[in-house]
Amino acid sequence: MRGLKGKTAVVTGGAQGLGKAIAQRLSEEGCQVWILDLRQDVEETANGIRQATGYPVYFAQTDIGQENQIEQAFRRVAEVSGSVDILINNAARFIFKGIEATAQEWKEILDVNIVGTSLVTQHCVPLMKKAGGGAIVNLSSVSGFIGQSSFATYNATKFAIRGLTKCWAIDLNEFKIRVNSVCPGYIRTEAFENSCIQLGIDPEEENARISQLHILGRQGTAEEVSGVVAFVASDDASFMTGEDLMVDGGYLAK
Ligand SMILES: NC(=O)c1ccc[n+]([C@@H]2O[C@H](COP(=O)([O-])OP(=O)(O)OC[C@H]3O[C@@H](n4cnc5c(N)ncnc54)[C@H](O)[C@@H]3O)[C@@H](O)[C@H]2O)c1
């Protein structure tokens, strides 16, 4: 893809799942990648990708729900890399609650998915200005378009991500920063297995049910999303901003 080689990219939530696949793909394209994740094995993931691709992969163990940790992470990014060209806002909490959601549950999911994502972006923008522009890709979802039973807490945040995308596309255009969202259907990552545990359902039965919701008749893979994210971040998507790109196996088309 055009314009990725030699760029500096920050990926939040890149220790596993979609974020890990995105970090890997951007590294394969020749980016210098920073992974920000609260998981302890973030170092292992970064080392594994670096060994596989031969390009620099750094990490900062960061809880994006904590502003002081975000500040600290971007101070390190600035010291080591100087500027940032690409930001992938991928980290998210998965709290599935309906009308019964407590104030604490709302706070927990909003603190990460909305406030955390916004503060990461706020701290990253000065480094993008230093680079003379850049691209931000926010992970929304089919859950950012539709209602799903007992998913109010999660879906509200994925709708909001699309709102942030459109507002930031307007506000950051003067700095030559494009902002888009990528909206996957169901992708079989660790989050899927964890969600089944949280909802008390069998993963294989749920996989069979969910697969039928997609025209392609299956869940997607992380690699089927990471390529699209890399495209949106690349110069091949230079006329795209404020856009939501579906990668949903036809989920919303049914
Ligand atoms: N898997 C799917 O079916 C699916 C579908 C549509 C959209 N998405 C979106 O894709 C993104 C990634 O999902 P996934 O399936 O890879 O999830 P995942 O749970 O497998 O991975 C999420 C990563 O984010 C990290 N993270 C969570 N909270 C964090 C915090 N406070 N600070 C820093 N890191 C944090 C986790 O440690 C983990 O490494 C999310 O934004 C999700 O909403 C996923």
Side-chain angles (χ1 to χ4, degrees):
M1 285 169 204
R2 288 190 303 124
L4 289 179
K5 196 164 183 165
K7 293 282 169 68
T8 299
V10 175
V11 182
T12 66
Q16 68 172 28
L18 281 178
K20 180 178 176 181
I22 292 164
Q24 165 98 30
R25 179 60 192 260
L26 290 173
S27 183
E28 284 167 6
E29 295 283 347
C31 291
Q32 174 180 125
V33 177
W34 278 86
I35 300 177
L36 272 51
D37 199 299
L38 50 67
R39 288 176 63 91
Q40 288 203 330
D41 60 4
V42 58
E43 179 172 13
E44 206 178 300
T45 301
N47 290 343
I49 297 174
R50 186 191 311 117
Q51 275 160 19
T53 67
Y55 288 102
V57 184
Y58 303 103
F59 70 95
Q61 197 179 350
T62 310
D63 177 352
I64 69 155
Q66 304 291 332
E67 189 174 12
N68 62 334
Q69 294 189 27
I70 297 172
E71 271 170 9
Q72 212 177 330
F74 278 100
R75 218 174 297 132
R76 276 200 55 212
V77 174
E79 278 163 18
V80 175
S81 302
S83 62
V84 173
D85 305 282
I86 293 163
L87 170 63
I88 313 296
N89 279 315
N90 165 82
R93 292 287 310 271
F94 296 83
I95 297 175
F96 300 110
K97 286 287 158 82
I99 195 72
E100 77 285 5
T102 63
Q104 181 59 28
E105 285 161 344
W106 274 113
K107 186 174 164 7
E108 280 177 27
I109 195 162
L110 294 174
D111 271 357
V112 174
N113 296 15
I114 303 306
V115 180
T117 297
S118 300
L119 293 177
V120 163
T121 305
Q122 184 188 86
H123 286 278
C124 190
V125 162
L127 297 183
M128 289 188 145
K129 287 186 190 171
K130 272 175 117 182
I136 299 173
V137 184
N138 299 322
L139 269 291
S140 178
S141 170
V142 290
S143 300
F145 289 82
I146 57 172
Q148 290 166 296
S149 178
S150 300
F151 270 39
T153 41
Y154 179 72
N155 287 29
T157 68
K158 292 291 136 178
F159 271 80
I161 286 289
R162 295 177 50 228
L164 292 174
T165 298
K166 291 179 195 311
C167 293
W168 291 344
I170 296 167
D171 291 341
L172 300 179
N173 179 53
E174 65 175 300
F175 310 118
K176 298 189 168 49
I177 298 172
R178 295 184 299 106
V179 190
N180 292 287
S181 78
V182 166
C183 310
Y186 279 81
I187 312 298
R188 194 149 187 186
T189 63
E190 288 85 344
F192 172 76
E193 314 297 333
N194 293 336
S195 303
C196 289
I197 293 168
Q198 191 189 139
L199 298 166
I201 49 185
D202 175 64
E204 291 318 317
E205 278 176 26
E206 184 62 357
N207 176 45
R209 184 186 75 79
I210 281 170
S211 293
Q212 293 317 308
L213 300 174
H214 303 74
I215 290 177
L216 294 182
R218 62 176 174 83
Q219 294 197 62
T221 66
E223 290 68 31
E224 288 176 307
V225 177
S226 62
V228 177
V229 171
F231 159 72
V232 176
S234 81
D235 289 349
D236 283 329
S238 54
F239 198 51
M240 282 182 67
T241 197
E243 196 55 76
D244 301 313
L245 206 65
M246 306 309 303
V247 193
D248 69 347
Y251 188 113
L252 285 193
K254 276 179 104 168

